[in-house]
Amino acid sequence: MQIALPENVTAILDLFKTSGFKAYAVGGAVRDVLLGLDPQEWDLATSASLEQITALFPESRLIGEKYAVVRVLQGETEIDIASMRIDGCYSDHRRPDQVELTDRIEEDLARRDFTINGMAYSAEGGLIDPFDGQRDIKAHMLRAIGKSEDRFSEDPLRILRALRFSGQLGFDIALETFTSMQKTVFLLERISMDRRREEFDKLLTSKNAGKALRMCVSVGSMPFLLGEAYPPSGERAEANFSLLLQKIDLSSRDLRVRRTMLFYCVEKQKAISAAKILGIDSESRKNLERDLSLLRELMLASDRYEIKAILSSCDREGVMETVKLFQEYQIVFAGENSSTISRSKLLSEIAESGDPLFLEELALNGQDLLNEGFPQGKEVGELLDGLLKLVHKDPGMNERAKLLKTIKQTKPDRSERISLRERISGIAKNRRT
Ligand code: ATP
Ligand code: MG
């Protein structure tokens, strides 16, 4: 079989060969080419040692302290080059205790995780596929190389890699591989949260995230990702979670959206602490908390005025984002629930109408009230809030003269100001638009 390698990859392979070394394209890129995908990064394996590689590529950068991989950047393409090696035992379930260099590609391929990732290619040797990765690519199957239980015990991150590949490629997991994942899943505890999250983020944003999440559940990995937030408790949460598993693929493949959908299924406080334990950065956690609150408030809002009041805490851009977020929510969780669908429509309608939503859009500001003789203080803010509610009910009222008239109907002495506040909110309550 001939594979058309990118020119820069061929040039590097040729340089190794003319320098007397063996060199191959390996792993994910070979897999992706066979799948008809365009690899974003290339891994090369060579019989050259690290010193020999860096002598040939002085501009390369060493990445990954332990494994001695160097990266050569060719335009946009990342090309990672490593010496072919045989891994020793993994007594810490993370890294081999020692590695031994080899010049036999088959030995290097044997340390790799799945048959579809265990192929190598060079122009002279063609495709080297000792574990029948091609068969598994055709069958859409993930299968561990070697004795699967040992392979997952050596490095339990492979469990999450399998789940993530099933999401990205839509592949099934071979029965023996799957059973071994179930048996060794408890070892995920030993993997750092950052590494778990990196894989989980890729899984969540993958094309077949629903399938991958269902496998996460059946393999028993969820508690190692969500901690105490899993399983969702209570009838509503359980129902939402099962909708999520069926429908998450319909939502945008955006990490913020997908995380919000996932965490919506669990109690908010548990979700926030799970997000923290998972090591989600503070900015994203703030967004998550806000998105979860907005969705909950919007679901509880009883009419368009309450929806407007909720939106008044955003800005215009935030409103558009909220509309989109609610649409994602509706797609995943509404099912046949027509009230959620009509709520989503109402939300878009409010956003598109251009009706005033925020204090900044009120035709009257704090200074106007001060000019009317209201003393500086929190009552000015309360009055403006009251006027905003009034305008939410009747956008036609959002004219300076009309709002001034409303507040001028009373004198600015203290008791009357209170009655004015009450009156404005009374008008807001009774007005029908
Ligand atoms: P991606 O598309 O995410 O880059 P990939 O398969 O290329 O997927 P990498 O992390 O780039 O994944 O690793 C490159 C190759 O190294 C893999 O294809 C596999 O052969 C091998 N590999 C990576 N991680 C492991 C691991 N934990 N155990 C065994 N082999 C691994
Ligand atoms: Mg890769």
Side-chain angles (χ1 to χ4, degrees):
M1 174 186 286
Q2 285 296 309
I3 290 178
L5 299 175
E7 262 173 41
N8 42 18
V9 171
T10 305
I12 294 177
L13 292 176
D14 287 348
L15 181 59
F16 277 116
K17 278 164 222 165
T18 53
S19 311
F21 302 109
K22 294 181 181 168
Y24 307 86
V26 281
V30 176
R31 172 201 71 215
D32 286 350
V33 170
L34 295 183
L35 280 164
L37 305 171
D38 190 16
Q40 298 306 302
E41 43 164 61
W42 286 79
D43 290 296
L44 310 185
T46 172
S47 56
S49 66
L50 178 64
E51 292 71 30
Q52 290 164 332
I53 301 173
T54 42
L56 285 176
F57 297 96
E59 77 287 13
S60 63
R61 198 160 55 86
L62 185 67
I63 55 163
E65 341 113 46
K66 182 98 181 186
Y67 295 140
V69 179
V70 305
R71 176 164 293 171
V72 181
L73 272 177
Q74 298 268 325
E76 294 286 283
T77 323
E78 279 176 0
I79 303 176
D80 289 348
I81 311 172
S83 304
M84 297 194 284
R85 65 169 209 257
I86 303 168
D87 288 345
C89 328
Y90 283 66
S91 47
D92 65 353
H93 303 283
R94 282 180 64 214
R95 295 183 176 138
D97 300 340
Q98 75 287 326
V99 299
E100 187 189 320
L101 296 187
T102 176
D103 65 356
R104 296 197 56 233
I105 184 66
E106 289 78 6
E107 288 180 332
D108 179 86
L109 294 177
R111 71 169 173 87
R112 292 170 187 273
D113 47 8
F114 305 105
T115 59
I116 61 166
N117 290 342
M119 294 180 277
Y121 180 83
S122 73
E124 311 71 46
L127 189 70
I128 302 161
D129 182 14
F131 309 106
D132 222 346
Q134 286 177 95
R135 173 202 56 196
D136 286 332
I137 282 196
K138 284 198 191 99
H140 287 193
M141 194 62 78
L142 280 154
R143 189 187 310 277
I145 291 175
K147 211 162 164 285
S148 48
E149 203 171 322
D150 294 348
R151 303 310 310 285
F152 292 120
S153 306
E154 278 171 8
D155 179 4
L157 187 73
R158 291 172 187 153
I159 298 169
L160 294 181
R161 282 176 56 89
L163 294 164
R164 175 267 273 199
F165 284 125
S166 87
Q168 289 179 327
L169 305 173
F171 280 21
D172 289 323
I173 300 178
L175 185 60
E176 201 208 329
T177 300
F178 191 77
T179 314
S180 300
M181 286 164 65
Q182 286 176 314
K183 283 189 192 150
T184 51
V185 74
F186 69 97
L187 292 170
L188 279 179
E189 217 170 54
R190 312 204 182 171
I191 301 288
S192 78
M193 271 300 179
D194 284 345
R195 296 178 83 210
R196 291 186 226 177
R197 189 193 61 254
E198 277 170 23
E199 290 299 329
F200 192 52
D201 286 351
K202 289 184 191 170
L203 180 157
L204 263 188
T205 49
S206 69
K207 185 157 178 257
N208 307 280
K211 178 186 181 102
L213 281 174
R214 292 193 291 276
M215 289 211 212
C216 281
V217 171
S218 49
V219 95
S221 64
M222 282 312 242
F224 301 96
L225 297 164
L226 299 187
E228 287 186 7
Y230 187 85
S233 64
E235 226 171 274
R236 163 78 58 86
E238 281 170 24
N240 277 340
F241 189 65
S242 88
L243 283 168
L244 179 88
L245 296 186
Q246 292 162 43
K247 299 222 183 147
I248 188 168
D249 297 352
L250 301 176
S251 65
S252 310
R253 287 175 59 190
D254 170 276
L255 187 57
R256 177 167 169 183
V257 168
R258 293 264 168 115
R259 275 182 181 155
T260 304
M261 297 303 128
L262 170 71
F263 283 111
Y264 185 80
C265 300
V266 298
E267 201 192 299
K268 191 170 153 215
Q269 270 328 305
K270 283 188 182 171
I272 300 304
S273 58
K276 193 162 183 190
I277 293 169
L278 202 52
I280 295 178
D281 65 277
S282 64
E283 175 75 19
S284 308
R285 275 189 279 128
K286 240 174 42 207
N287 290 337
L288 176 68
E289 192 167 354
R290 178 166 169 73
D291 289 348
L292 292 176
S293 303
L294 274 170
L295 286 179
R296 288 199 158 79
E297 285 170 25
L298 287 168
M299 279 309 287
L300 291 174
S302 53
D303 56 31
R304 66 187 300 133
Y305 314 116
E306 277 188 36
I307 292 182
K308 285 185 175 180
I310 294 165
L311 293 179
S312 70
S313 69
C314 310
D315 54 21
R316 276 284 155 200
E317 200 188 328
V319 167
M320 295 325 287
E321 280 171 13
T322 307
V323 171
K324 276 201 213 117
L325 180 72
F326 199 84
Q327 280 165 351
E328 305 274 5
Y329 167 85
Q330 179 234 309
I331 288 168
V332 176
F333 296 111
E336 298 302 303
N337 185 337
S338 58
S339 79
T340 308
I341 297 171
S342 45
R343 190 167 299 235
S344 176
K345 282 194 190 131
L346 179 57
L347 193 57
S348 327
E349 192 189 300
I350 291 170
E352 281 157 22
S353 70
D355 282 356
L357 293 172
F358 324 112
L359 279 175
E360 301 75 55
E361 291 176 329
L362 209 54
L364 206 67
N365 62 25
Q367 189 56 50
D368 295 317
L369 292 183
L370 297 181
N371 295 345
E372 287 304 312
F374 289 90
Q376 195 131 28
K378 76 175 194 309
E379 280 158 80
V380 168
E382 287 171 0
L383 268 174
L384 289 171
D385 284 341
L387 290 173
L388 184 62
K389 280 206 179 77
L390 183 67
V391 165
H392 282 168
K393 293 228 158 177
D394 181 359
M397 281 295 289
N398 197 25
E399 283 173 25
R400 202 181 139 75
K402 287 185 186 168
L403 295 177
L404 271 177
K405 192 169 162 208
T406 307
I407 59 164
K408 269 187 188 160
Q409 282 163 359
T410 188
K411 287 198 202 81
D413 92 27
R414 188 174 165 71
S415 59
E416 298 226 7
R417 285 203 306 275
I418 289 166
S419 79
L420 174 64
R421 275 209 315 277
E422 282 164 358
R423 209 158 50 75
I424 291 175
S425 61
I427 299 169
K429 254 183 222 148
N430 296 327
R431 193 175 287 261
R432 290 282 169 265
T433 53

